[in-house]
């Protein structure tokens, strides 16, 4: 998707600058979702789910309205969170248990993130294109989720 690794680095620099000095997790999730949605091509949904107990609860996002609660282990988001690892799904219809929020979504990547050492939620990104997310996207979105997670903890 990215023309070069440099293009991804520009987005990450922009994200660092956008979140600098602001610890509010909702405000920073909103700006992270908005920036990624504006800068990365061929996406139809970018947003956050925050872990509350055993459930992922919808947070700030860009795109069509989405399902509000996803139990751990359900769908792409719940599976990524339960495994605490990034899931790249080139064809969501081939993923057993995929939860269809926007029928336009054909591929998806879900990146779990931790705050203060504990799983805190996932960054979910959908595309209307099959096989939209490759290794460079995974690196970029894992870095973006890490920048977001770090922003929620003020330095001492
Ligand atoms: N497709 C996700 C649900 C969230 S929406 O894509 C925004 C899933 O299967 O977990």
């Amino acid at each position: 998707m990215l023309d070069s690794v440099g293009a991804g680095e520009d987005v990450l620099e922009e994200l660092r600058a956008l979140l600098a000095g602001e610890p509010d997790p909702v405000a920073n999730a909103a700006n992270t979702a908005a920036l990624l949605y504006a800068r990365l091509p061929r996406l139809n949904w970018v947003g956050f789910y925050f872990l509350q107990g055993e459930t992922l609860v919808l947070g700030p996002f860009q795109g069509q309205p989405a399902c509000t609660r996803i139990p751990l282990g359900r769908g792409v988001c719940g599976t990524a969170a339960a495994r605490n690892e990034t899931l790249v799904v080139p064809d969501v219809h081939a993923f057993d248990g995929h939860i269809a929020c926007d029928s336009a979504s054909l591929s998806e990547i879900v990146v779990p993130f931790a705050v203060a050492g504990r799983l805190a939620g996932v960054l979910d990104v959908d595309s209307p294109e099959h096989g939209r997310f490759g290794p460079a996207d995974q690196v970029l979105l894992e870095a973006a989720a890490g920048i977001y997670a770090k922003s929620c903890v003020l330095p001492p």
Side-chain angles (χ1 to χ4, degrees):
M1 143 207 130
L2 295 169
D3 295 327
S4 66
V5 173
E9 198 44 53
D10 287 351
V11 175
L12 295 177
E13 273 311 308
E14 210 175 336
L15 181 61
R16 282 186 199 99
L18 190 60
L19 307 189
E22 175 55 67
D24 187 89
V26 173
N28 286 350
N31 265 334
T32 300
L35 179 74
L36 295 175
Y37 194 72
R39 293 287 179 273
L40 306 182
R42 308 189 312 281
L43 306 180
N44 63 310
W45 204 88
V46 178
F48 285 80
Y49 282 89
F50 296 122
L51 188 61
Q52 289 185 16
E54 297 289 299
T55 305
L56 292 167
V57 181
L58 184 63
F61 66 93
Q62 300 277 308
Q64 294 294 315
C67 44
T68 308
R69 290 175 184 270
I70 301 175
L72 269 186
R74 291 276 310 280
V76 184
C77 291
T79 303
R83 293 183 190 167
N84 197 12
E85 67 183 29
T86 297
L87 272 187
V88 179
V89 179
D91 176 2
V92 295
H93 296 118
F95 186 94
D96 196 23
H98 167 253
I99 300 164
C101 293
D102 180 348
S103 60
S105 296
L106 293 182
S107 61
E108 181 166 5
I109 178 169
V110 178
V111 180
F113 60 87
V115 174
R118 299 185 66 171
L119 179 67
V122 300
L123 171 63
D124 180 16
V125 182
D126 289 19
S127 171
E129 195 174 274
H130 276 125
R132 163 70 178 75
F133 304 105
D137 302 290
Q138 179 169 346
V139 169
L140 171 64
L141 293 168
E142 286 177 348
I147 291 167
Y148 165 73
K150 210 169 147 194
S151 79
C152 300
V153 184
L154 271 184

